[in-house]
Amino acid sequence: MIVATFDIWNLFWIFFIVSSLQPVVQRQWLAASRRHTLATISEKRSATVVTLIHRQETISLLGIPLMRHIDIDDSESVLLAIRETPPGRPIEIILHTPGGLVLAASQIARALRDHDGRVVAVVPHYAMSGGTLIALAADEIMLEAHAALGPVDPQLGQYPAASLVEVAARPGRHADQTLILADVGRKALRQVDAVVRELLRVRDADERRVREVARLLSSGVWTHDHPLMARELEQLGLPVKVGVPPEERALMRLYPQPRGREPNVEYVPSRPGRPGLPPGRDTPRRARARR
């Protein structure tokens, strides 16, 4: 009986140790896989490959969702990577971000603009707000078919700067705080508009078109979360190419959503010719419509 109890305790401690080490081992494996994939892409493209990928995370123990965004630490790291890239060597920056600080995004965008070499921005899913500002500095923006960029109009806390300016301009008395925020909003709008024009002028000599595109992107014409797809971006004259290489798509799978909740979406990949599927199920919808 004593031996049996001893064995159970041994098994319990082994299970506890293995369970404790599993997240550490998994993180190390993911980090090693990312480095290997980045090195493969870098060698294939003959370029410095930089990632700026933000996933929603959870605070330890409490399980509270925490959305990451572009901050000063990001700009410091990306600027270091750009400085260490030799002149003439291309840079590929992979963006997956909701945006972030205008200061940090502007630093990254200007550093990419000033780099002596081709710059390609790759957007597998979305690069909103500050992510779009960074993409504007690229010579080419590679997007998946339904990936999106977004407006870059500045936000003051929870309010769009353009809306604060609009409210303060309406007739009637306004609180001092509203007037102060509107004044800051006007300055923020001018500053972001100037940065966008500065980035667009690098590849577009038509000053009238540059000013119009900058106005559309930075003045609050759309809501801040409005998705700008490839067709709209092409109409704005941005250097868009639809399609992300398979290596970059594979890299994104190495940045999984942190654990702590069940996945909301699951699916079984289909393959043409699988038995049991109804006739025509493997045929694209548009192709069937033309028959």
Side-chain angles (χ1 to χ4, degrees):
M1 188 67 180
I2 296 175
V3 174
T5 304
F6 178 75
D7 289 342
I8 291 173
W9 275 107
N10 277 349
L11 290 174
F12 171 79
W13 283 111
I14 291 171
F15 174 78
F16 178 77
I17 293 170
V18 170
S19 299
S20 300
L21 291 176
Q22 184 182 3
V24 177
V25 173
Q26 187 177 30
R27 282 197 298 270
Q28 293 297 325
W29 179 84
L30 275 175
S33 298
R34 290 169 184 168
R35 286 193 295 270
H36 175 74
T37 305
L38 282 170
T40 301
I41 297 173
S42 178
E43 183 177 356
K44 188 170 184 178
R45 308 278 184 267
S46 298
T48 297
V49 181
V50 184
T51 62
L52 189 55
I53 296 173
H54 294 128
R55 290 289 198 189
Q56 179 173 289
E57 297 183 353
T58 53
I59 300 175
S60 240
L61 298 177
L62 300 178
I64 300 172
L66 175 68
M67 182 65 77
R68 296 190 61 198
H69 60 273
I70 303 170
D71 57 21
I72 295 300
D73 288 338
D74 290 329
S75 65
E76 185 178 357
S77 298
V78 176
L79 262 59
L80 177 61
I82 296 171
R83 283 196 299 269
E84 292 186 350
T85 301
R89 181 175 173 84
I91 291 178
E92 177 179 307
I93 182 164
I94 302 172
L95 298 168
H96 180 85
T97 177
L101 296 178
V102 173
L103 169 59
S106 299
Q107 286 181 301
I108 295 171
R110 283 169 165 149
L112 289 171
R113 176 205 60 189
D114 294 340
H115 174 65
D116 180 12
R118 181 174 172 77
V119 176
V120 177
V122 179
V123 183
H125 185 62
Y126 80 146
M128 305 298 284
S129 191
T132 298
L133 194 65
I134 294 170
L136 293 178
D139 299 295
E140 183 178 67
I141 305 171
M142 300 179 68
L143 294 143
E144 276 288 22
H146 297 95
L149 301 185
V152 298
D153 56 304
Q155 310 292 295
L156 300 181
Q158 60 180 321
Y159 301 116
S163 297
L164 290 167
V165 172
E166 177 71 20
V167 167
R170 292 180 179 180
R173 299 189 61 176
H174 300 286
D176 290 346
Q177 185 179 13
T178 302
L179 296 174
I180 292 169
L181 287 173
D183 180 57
V184 176
R186 279 188 289 269
K187 294 171 183 174
L189 287 165
R190 286 198 300 270
Q191 289 165 196
V192 173
D193 179 78
V195 173
V196 174
R197 283 189 278 119
E198 183 183 323
L199 296 173
L200 294 175
R201 286 192 188 110
V202 173
R203 60 174 175 276
D204 195 338
D206 188 336
E207 182 64 22
R208 184 175 179 179
R209 184 166 56 228
V210 165
R211 288 181 178 275
E212 177 60 16
V213 173
R215 182 190 70 81
L216 289 172
L217 290 176
S218 66
S219 67
V221 172
W222 299 292
T223 59
H224 196 60
D225 62 349
H226 175 69
L228 296 172
M229 303 294 198
R231 184 177 299 178
E232 292 172 288
L233 297 171
E234 287 171 348
Q235 291 172 352
L236 292 176
L238 299 182
V240 172
K241 179 180 178 182
V242 178
V244 169
E247 294 84 2
E248 280 77 354
R249 291 202 299 269
L251 177 66
M252 289 300 298
R253 288 196 288 270
L254 298 176
Y255 290 85
Q257 189 71 24
R259 289 184 173 183
R261 62 187 178 116
E262 290 296 321
N264 294 323
V265 179
E266 295 183 280
Y267 70 101
V268 177
S270 61
R271 296 179 180 83
R274 281 179 56 196
L277 288 178
R281 183 63 58 85
D282 295 328
T283 307
R285 184 172 54 196
R286 291 183 181 176
R288 294 203 307 272
R290 289 196 295 268
R291 290 181 178 176

